[in-house]
Coordinates of all heavy atoms in Angstrom, one line a residue:
H1 N 0.8 -1.2 0.0 CA 0.0 0.0 0.0 C 0.9 1.3 0.0 O 0.5 2.3 -0.6 CB -1.0 0.0 1.2 CG -2.1 -0.9 1.0 ND1 -3.3 -0.5 0.4 CD2 -2.2 -2.3 1.3 CE1 -4.1 -1.6 0.4 NE2 -3.5 -2.6 0.9
N2 N 2.0 1.2 0.7 CA 2.9 2.4 0.7 C 3.4 2.7 -0.7 O 3.6 3.9 -1.0 CB 4.1 2.1 1.6 CG 3.7 2.3 3.1 OD1 2.7 3.0 3.4 ND2 4.4 1.8 4.0
I3 N 3.7 1.7 -1.5 CA 4.1 1.9 -2.9 C 3.0 2.6 -3.7 O 3.3 3.5 -4.5 CB 4.5 0.5 -3.5 CG1 5.7 0.0 -2.9 CG2 4.7 0.7 -5.1 CD1 6.0 -1.5 -3.3
I4 N 1.8 2.2 -3.4 CA 0.6 2.8 -4.1 C 0.6 4.3 -3.7 O 0.4 5.2 -4.6 CB -0.7 2.1 -3.8 CG1 -0.7 0.7 -4.4 CG2 -1.9 2.9 -4.4 CD1 -1.9 -0.1 -4.1
Y5 N 0.7 4.6 -2.4 CA 0.7 6.0 -2.0 C 1.8 6.8 -2.6 O 1.5 7.9 -3.1 CB 0.8 6.1 -0.4 CG -0.1 5.3 0.4 CD1 0.3 4.8 1.6 CD2 -1.4 4.9 -0.1 CE1 -0.6 4.0 2.4 CE2 -2.2 4.2 0.7 CZ -1.8 3.7 1.9 OH -2.7 2.9 2.7
A6 N 3.0 6.2 -2.6 CA 4.1 6.9 -3.2 C 3.9 7.2 -4.7 O 4.3 8.2 -5.2 CB 5.4 6.2 -3.0
S7 N 3.3 6.2 -5.4 CA 3.1 6.3 -6.8 C 2.1 7.5 -7.2 O 2.1 7.9 -8.4 CB 2.6 5.0 -7.4 OG 1.2 4.8 -7.1
T8 N 1.3 7.9 -6.3 CA 0.4 9.0 -6.5 C 1.1 10.3 -6.8 O 0.5 11.2 -7.4 CB -0.6 9.2 -5.4 OG1 0.0 9.7 -4.2 CG2 -1.3 7.9 -5.0
G9 N 2.3 10.5 -6.2 CA 3.0 11.7 -6.4 C 2.4 12.8 -5.4 O 2.9 14.0 -5.5
N10 N 1.5 12.4 -4.6 CA 0.9 13.3 -3.6 C 1.5 13.1 -2.2 O 1.1 12.2 -1.5 CB -0.7 13.1 -3.6 CG -1.4 14.2 -2.8 OD1 -1.0 14.6 -1.8 ND2 -2.5 14.6 -3.4
K11 N 2.4 14.0 -1.9 CA 3.1 13.8 -0.6 C 2.2 14.0 0.6 O 2.3 13.3 1.6 CB 4.3 14.8 -0.5 CG 5.4 14.5 -1.5 CD 6.5 15.5 -1.3 CE 7.7 15.2 -2.3 NZ 8.8 16.2 -2.1
R12 N 1.2 14.9 0.5 CA 0.3 15.1 1.6 C -0.6 13.9 1.8 O -0.8 13.5 3.0 CB -0.6 16.3 1.2 CG -1.5 16.7 2.4 CD -0.8 17.2 3.6 NE 0.0 18.4 3.3 CZ 0.8 19.0 4.1 NH1 1.0 18.5 5.3 NH2 1.4 20.1 3.8
L13 N -1.0 13.2 0.8 CA -1.8 12.0 0.9 C -1.0 10.9 1.6 O -1.5 10.3 2.5 CB -2.3 11.5 -0.4 CG -3.1 10.2 -0.4 CD1 -4.4 10.3 0.3 CD2 -3.4 9.7 -1.9
Y14 N 0.2 10.8 1.2 CA 1.1 9.8 1.8 C 1.3 10.1 3.3 O 1.2 9.2 4.2 CB 2.5 9.9 1.1 CG 3.5 8.8 1.5 CD1 3.5 7.6 0.8 CD2 4.3 8.9 2.6 CE1 4.4 6.6 1.2 CE2 5.2 7.9 3.0 CZ 5.2 6.7 2.3 OH 6.1 5.7 2.6
Q15 N 1.5 11.4 3.7 CA 1.7 11.8 5.1 C 0.4 11.5 5.9 O 0.5 11.1 7.1 CB 2.0 13.2 5.2 CG 3.4 13.6 4.6 CD 3.7 15.1 4.5 OE1 2.7 15.9 4.6 NE2 4.9 15.4 4.3
I16 N -0.7 11.7 5.3 CA -2.0 11.5 6.0 C -2.3 10.0 6.2 O -2.7 9.5 7.3 CB -3.2 12.1 5.3 CG1 -3.0 13.6 5.3 CG2 -4.5 11.7 5.9 CD1 -4.0 14.4 4.4
M17 N -2.0 9.2 5.2 CA -2.4 7.8 5.2 C -1.5 7.0 6.2 O -2.0 6.0 6.8 CB -2.3 7.2 3.8 CG -3.4 7.5 2.9 SD -5.0 7.1 3.5 CE -4.8 5.4 3.9
S18 N -0.2 7.3 6.3 CA 0.7 6.4 7.1 C 0.2 6.3 8.5 O 0.1 5.2 9.0 CB 2.1 7.0 7.0 OG 2.6 6.8 5.7
P19 N -0.1 7.4 9.3 CA -0.5 7.2 10.6 C -1.9 6.5 10.8 O -2.2 5.8 11.7 CB -0.6 8.6 11.2 CG -0.7 9.5 10.0 CD 0.1 8.8 8.9
L20 N -2.8 6.7 9.8 CA -4.1 6.0 9.8 C -3.9 4.5 9.7 O -4.6 3.8 10.5 CB -4.9 6.5 8.6 CG -5.5 7.9 8.7 CD1 -6.3 8.3 7.4 CD2 -6.4 8.1 9.9
R21 N -3.0 4.1 8.9 CA -2.8 2.6 8.7 C -2.1 2.1 10.0 O -2.4 1.0 10.5 CB -1.9 2.3 7.5 CG -2.6 2.5 6.2 CD -1.8 2.2 5.0 NE -1.2 0.8 5.1 CZ -1.9 -0.3 4.7 NH1 -3.2 -0.2 4.3 NH2 -1.4 -1.5 4.8
E22 N -1.2 2.9 10.6 CA -0.5 2.4 11.8 C -1.4 2.3 13.0 O -1.3 1.4 13.8 CB 0.6 3.4 12.1 CG 1.8 3.3 11.1 CD 2.8 4.4 11.3 OE1 2.5 5.4 12.1 OE2 3.9 4.4 10.7
Q23 N -2.5 3.1 13.0 CA -3.4 3.0 14.1 C -4.2 1.7 14.1 O -4.7 1.2 15.1 CB -4.4 4.2 14.1 CG -3.7 5.5 14.5 CD -4.7 6.7 14.4 OE1 -5.8 6.6 14.8 NE2 -4.2 7.8 13.8
L24 N -4.2 1.1 12.9 CA -5.0 -0.2 12.8 C -4.1 -1.4 12.7 O -4.5 -2.5 12.5 CB -5.8 -0.1 11.5 CG -6.9 0.9 11.4 CD1 -7.5 0.9 10.0 CD2 -8.0 0.6 12.4
Y25 N -2.8 -1.2 13.0 CA -1.8 -2.2 12.8 C -2.1 -3.5 13.5 O -2.1 -4.6 13.0 CB -0.4 -1.8 13.2 CG 0.7 -2.8 13.0 CD1 1.3 -3.0 11.7 CD2 1.0 -3.7 14.0 CE1 2.3 -4.0 11.5 CE2 2.0 -4.7 13.8 CZ 2.6 -4.8 12.5 OH 3.5 -5.8 12.3

């Protein structure tokens, strides 16, 4: 999923998504 986030080219989206996924780890 991190590769997909990075492929979007949207750094803000990547920054938002990472902690959301971690909270569900």
Side-chain angles (χ1 to χ4, degrees):
H1 284 270
N2 283 339
I3 292 168
I4 294 176
Y5 307 151
S7 73
T8 68
N10 189 318
K11 293 182 180 180
R12 186 65 65 184
L13 177 63
Y14 189 93
Q15 291 170 347
I16 293 171
M17 284 304 307
S18 293
L20 287 176
R21 287 180 60 78
E22 287 171 351
Q23 289 176 44
L24 296 172
Y25 180 87

